């Protein structure tokens, strides 16, 4: 399998990063959903947010890499069987997913750093606050984070359903190209 994308197939880097981001997004969403129900006395009350923030910062780095990689490695051409509306909606969905990912990650960062503190990423390195203390920022950022993450999960679900539709109903190679199998 080739490293870079070709006109007909995704390369191994794009495939691995795509599935890594998908796994991280759904894992973070599940962890975030779990965290909001924790009480102060729960053993995960402090540990779960630390894990969530650390993975979120690492995801930010991976998504930045993904954007750069995508600019340097254009995606394969649409399949000839794809209609114009499918191609346009796929481009819009991908663009919106990128925007929502950055909105969710930046708002999550702002929630955590609104008091001026930094974020420790698995005790490997610290990401400092760029805003200092901003009263009420965590509330606004929290609302943005909540709605953007729900939007990501819904849109990613639609994205997955579209890939399954192409695979099962259209019997084309849309899904196979992102799995790295077949042409």
């Amino acid at each position: 399998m080739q490293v870079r994308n070709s006109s007909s197939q995704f390369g191994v880097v794009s495939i691995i990063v795509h599935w890594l981001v998908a796994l991280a997004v759904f894992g973070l969403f599940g962890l975030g959903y779990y965290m909001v129900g924790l009480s102060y006395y729960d053993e995960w009350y402090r540990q779960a947010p630390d894990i969530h923030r650390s993975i979120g910062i690492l995801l930010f780095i991976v998504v930045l890499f993904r954007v750069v990689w995508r600019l340097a490695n254009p995606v394969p051409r649409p399949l000839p069987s794809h209609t114009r509306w499918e191609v346009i909606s796929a481009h819009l969905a991908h663009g919106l997913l990128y925007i929502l990912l950055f909105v969710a990650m930046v708002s999550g960062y702002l929630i955590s750093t609104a008091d001026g503190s930094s974020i420790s990423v698995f005790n490997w390195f610290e990401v400092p606050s760029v805003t200092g203390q901003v009263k009420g920022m965590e509330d606004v950022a929290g609302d943005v984070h909540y709605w953007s993450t729900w939007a990501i999960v819904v849109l990613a679900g639609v994205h997955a359903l579209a890939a399954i539709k192409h695979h099962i109903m259209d019997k084309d190679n849309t899904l196979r190209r992102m799995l790295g199998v077949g042409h």
Side-chain angles (χ1 to χ4, degrees), residues 1 3 10-23 62 65-66 178-179:
M1 176 180 284
V3 172
F10 286 99
V12 69
V13 173
S14 293
I15 292 169
I16 289 170
V17 172
H18 173 272
W19 293 109
L20 181 64
V21 169
L23 179 65
V62 170
F65 170 80
R66 185 175 182 183
M178 190 44 80
L179 293 172

Side-chain angles (χ1 to χ4, degrees), residues 111-145:
I111 294 166
S112 298
T113 60
D115 63 356
S117 63
S118 62
I119 298 173
S120 173
V121 179
F122 293 119
N123 293 320
W124 298 338
F125 61 93
E126 300 266 329
V127 178
S129 172
V130 295
T131 61
Q133 292 184 345
V134 179
K135 189 171 178 72
M137 182 170 66
E138 67 273 9
D139 294 330
V140 173
D143 288 341
V144 170
H145 193 69

Side-chain angles (χ1 to χ4, degrees), residues 46-139:
R46 297 237 187 273
Q47 192 172 9
D50 288 341
I51 293 168
H52 188 86
R53 285 186 289 265
S54 292
I55 294 172
I57 294 292
L58 296 176
L59 179 62
F60 182 80
I61 294 166
V62 170
V63 173
L64 278 177
F65 170 80
R66 185 175 182 183
V67 169
V68 170
W69 186 259
R70 187 168 175 149
L71 292 172
N73 295 276
V75 297
R77 288 187 314 269
L79 296 173
S81 61
H82 290 176
T83 64
R84 179 170 165 76
W85 77 266
E86 286 174 321
V87 172
I88 291 170
S89 29
H91 286 300
L92 290 173
H94 284 111
L96 187 54
L97 276 169
Y98 280 111
I99 290 167
L100 288 168
L101 282 168
F102 282 113
V103 167
M105 291 182 290
V106 169
S107 61
Y109 167 81
L110 293 174
I111 294 166
S112 298
T113 60
D115 63 356
S117 63
S118 62
I119 298 173
S120 173
V121 179
F122 293 119
N123 293 320
W124 298 338
F125 61 93
E126 300 266 329
V127 178
S129 172
V130 295
T131 61
Q133 292 184 345
V134 179
K135 189 171 178 72
M137 182 170 66
E138 67 273 9
D139 294 330

